[in-house]
Amino acid sequence: MMDEEHILVVEDNPDDVYFARRALRNAAPDVTVAFVHDGQAALEYLHGVGPFADRGVHPLPAMVFLDLKLPYVHGLSVLEAIRADPELQRLPVVVLTSSEEQRDRTRAEALGIQDYVVKPVRPEALRALIDVHLRGRRPE
């Protein structure tokens, strides 16, 4: 079961985690946000296995913010796994990365991302992404 107001952020850089946490708290204080720090943990969280098996504590998110340059499993591999899983393939994924490489953007878009945002990102931009991709609201 997907939690309609739950976001998973996959980010390995502690500074980026700090700023994302702050920006999300300002952008959407009513949304629950979970953080994982590598691609393997993201897959475990999304599949509800290992330390994330309790869906009461770790609900399936309604949206994912995904960094690409991650340890253990690269972000594009996480995205491929999401799109290959029938239970996850419609999950909105926004790439939130420092990579401005066109090949990363092209591959992510081919895998059906909702948006590709190069860090740093302002709280207003996060709010707009959440409104559009989580809540289905049109931008003003």
Side-chain angles (χ1 to χ4, degrees), residues 8 10 36 38-50 52 55 60 66 70 72-83 85 88:
L8 177 64
V10 186
V36 294
D38 63 67
Q40 182 62 42
L43 292 173
E44 290 173 359
Y45 190 106
L46 291 168
H47 291 111
V49 298
F52 307 105
R55 282 295 188 208
L60 185 62
L66 177 66
L70 297 167
Y72 307 117
V73 178
H74 191 273
L76 288 172
S77 296
V78 172
L79 185 56
E80 287 172 353
I82 290 169
R83 295 302 181 233
D85 186 319
L88 300 174

Side-chain angles (χ1 to χ4, degrees), residues 2-21:
M2 190 178 308
D3 184 331
E4 296 300 321
E5 291 292 314
H6 184 78
I7 295 174
L8 177 64
V9 177
V10 186
E11 174 60 65
D12 66 316
N13 181 305
D15 291 332
D16 288 340
V17 168
Y18 172 80
F19 289 114
R21 186 180 313 274

